[in-house]
Amino acid sequence: MNTIQLQEDILGLKKENDVTILAHYYQPIEIQEIADYVGDSLGLSRTAKKKANNYIVFAGVDFMAETASIVNQDKHILIPNYESCCPMAAYLTPEMVREFRNKYPDLPVVVYVNSTAAVKAESDICCTSSNSIMIVEKISQEFNVSSVLFGPDANLADYTEQKSGIKCIKMPEEGHCYVHSQIRPEDIEIAKKKYSHTKLLVHPECIRAVRELADFVGSTAQMYNRVKNSSNDENKFLIGTEEGFRVRLTQDFQNKNFYSVKDKLICYNMKKHNLELIEYILKNLDDQAFEVKVPSDIAKKALIPINKMLNYS
Ligand code: SF4
């Protein structure tokens, strides 16, 4: 079956079974095209919470599906390929969070949504790359402190600290995203020579030396809005994030040009889903092999920091 036939088939099954499909911007474009909602982690968390459907198919990595399960304990959250995991989340364990707390008992724990449910359950508040600055400002005011514990992404911690002036103690020092941290200033230099008169947009998970070269730093949703609100003169953009997002921009803004700062900026973990797997799930909704269910005791604890973030956002 070709892509268009498969997509039509999926759209029919989705309607018939009253299923919502959520997809991250880093998904292959043919999956983004059949989703009810495409967005970044914050948008997906909010949408998962609002959706009334009994089944949500989540085309994203494991922690995103877990977050959907935490905020929708009564619904079935299905992930097309359970091997789609975020390696960054593995940098921080609940035991490590407890050790940091013992060392810094007065400081609040802020965890990036790119973390396991068990880690979220140990935290005071969650954040995303869209709202991390505002979240550390609010939580440090609430705790009346000038430092917070922040994990697992050391680059997002550094960016948040730079922008907020609140010290973000990294949990751990080496947490990073292998996609964004591979971008180097030399790549930017080469790309800028190749594509002149471009605006450089990068993700805060990039290293500081790269962020400092950028015209704009933000989450995928923020970069999307930056392009949407750009003037007619700004029609060439260098994109410093995963390839799926650049493809999406190319599709949505056909009067502008988008170039990647580097070849092969691909999150292979995000690309483990495909249309065949989604079609299979829609035909086998009760197959528990695809269901992501966070145990209720952990979900209950993890819901508190997630809701606290959503209420602040
Ligand atoms: S792009 Fe990076 S942070 Fe996002 S899922 Fe892939 S490895 Fe994790």
Side-chain angles (χ1 to χ4, degrees):
M1 206 184 286
N2 68 31
T3 303
I4 294 175
Q5 282 170 327
L6 251 177
Q7 286 179 316
E8 281 171 4
D9 212 22
I10 289 170
L11 292 173
L13 286 163
K14 186 163 77 77
K15 200 168 170 194
E16 215 172 281
N17 293 293
D18 192 28
V19 177
T20 293
I21 299 180
L22 304 180
H24 192 269
Y25 277 128
Y26 298 162
Q27 285 301 300
I29 194 69
E30 64 275 14
I31 293 183
Q32 296 190 37
E33 284 167 352
I34 48 96
D36 295 283
Y37 177 82
V38 181
D40 65 355
S41 303
L42 178 60
L44 290 166
S45 309
R46 278 208 189 105
T47 309
K49 196 176 173 190
K50 276 192 269 168
K51 285 291 168 187
N53 312 64
N54 204 17
Y55 291 93
I56 296 176
V57 172
F58 210 114
V61 285
D62 53 354
F63 74 82
M64 297 177 176
E66 278 190 348
T67 305
S69 167
I70 293 164
V71 300
N72 293 285
Q73 276 281 287
D74 53 332
K75 291 178 196 157
H76 299 278
I77 311 299
L78 308 170
I79 189 159
N81 186 339
Y82 60 81
E83 287 181 355
S84 181
C85 306
C86 171
M88 180 203 282
Y91 276 101
L92 186 60
T93 64
E95 294 73 29
M96 287 162 74
V97 177
R98 287 196 285 271
E99 278 168 27
F100 273 98
R101 267 204 199 277
N102 283 340
K103 198 167 166 198
Y104 302 97
D106 300 330
L107 300 188
V109 172
V110 181
V111 300
Y112 191 20
V113 285
N114 300 30
S115 55
T116 63
V119 162
K120 290 183 178 80
E122 296 288 335
S123 72
D124 293 297
I125 193 161
C126 290
C127 74
T128 69
S129 50
S130 288
N131 64 20
S132 63
I133 300 163
M134 178 271 289
I135 293 292
V136 301
E137 284 170 355
K138 297 265 189 200
I139 200 77
S140 59
Q141 277 164 18
E142 191 181 317
F143 278 65
N144 199 19
V145 289
S146 55
S147 308
V148 301
L149 297 168
F150 193 111
D153 186 23
N155 290 313
L156 183 65
D158 181 55
Y159 171 72
T160 308
E161 177 174 307
Q162 263 189 315
K163 294 288 170 187
S164 65
I166 311 289
K167 184 163 179 53
C168 295
I169 298 169
K170 295 165 190 149
M171 306 184 297
E173 282 286 336
E174 66 276 16
H176 69 279
C177 161
Y178 71 93
V179 181
H180 293 99
S181 60
Q182 68 179 273
I183 306 171
R184 299 279 135 180
E186 308 84 81
D187 299 315
I188 307 289
E189 204 182 313
I190 294 168
K192 283 205 161 186
K193 274 189 190 145
K194 195 167 170 192
Y195 308 108
S196 54
H197 307 296
T198 48
K199 291 282 176 202
L200 173 63
L201 316 185
V202 306
H203 196 278
E205 288 172 18
C206 293
I207 62 170
R208 185 191 282 211
V210 166
R211 297 194 313 263
E212 283 175 347
L213 297 172
D215 296 293
F216 182 81
V217 181
S219 68
T220 44
Q222 289 167 335
M223 284 192 243
Y224 190 96
N225 285 332
R226 171 66 182 78
V227 171
K228 197 173 167 188
N229 298 324
S230 61
S231 65
N232 289 341
D233 301 342
E234 291 182 319
N235 53 20
K236 291 202 298 186
F237 293 90
L238 261 182
I239 304 300
T241 190
E242 212 272 346
E243 176 63 8
F245 182 62
R246 189 194 65 79
V247 175
R248 177 78 197 199
L249 291 172
T250 304
Q251 189 154 308
D252 289 1
F253 303 99
Q254 295 190 0
N255 58 339
K256 296 186 189 275
N257 297 295
F258 301 94
Y259 312 101
S260 183
V261 291
K262 188 178 176 136
D263 285 345
K264 302 204 175 78
L265 263 186
I266 292 169
C267 174
Y268 294 100
N269 307 71
M270 280 275 186
K271 301 290 194 266
K272 290 190 173 168
H273 306 307
N274 59 45
L275 290 176
E276 285 81 4
L277 285 168
I278 294 177
E279 186 197 35
Y280 182 85
I281 281 200
L282 291 172
K283 286 182 174 168
N284 298 277
L285 285 172
D286 291 323
D287 185 341
Q288 293 185 350
F290 299 100
E291 183 150 357
V292 176
K293 187 86 186 158
V294 175
S296 62
D297 54 332
I298 293 179
K300 225 169 154 182
K301 284 194 209 160
L303 186 60
I304 299 166
I306 292 172
N307 273 344
K308 199 170 173 84
M309 168 188 77
L310 292 174
N311 291 341
Y312 272 145
S313 304

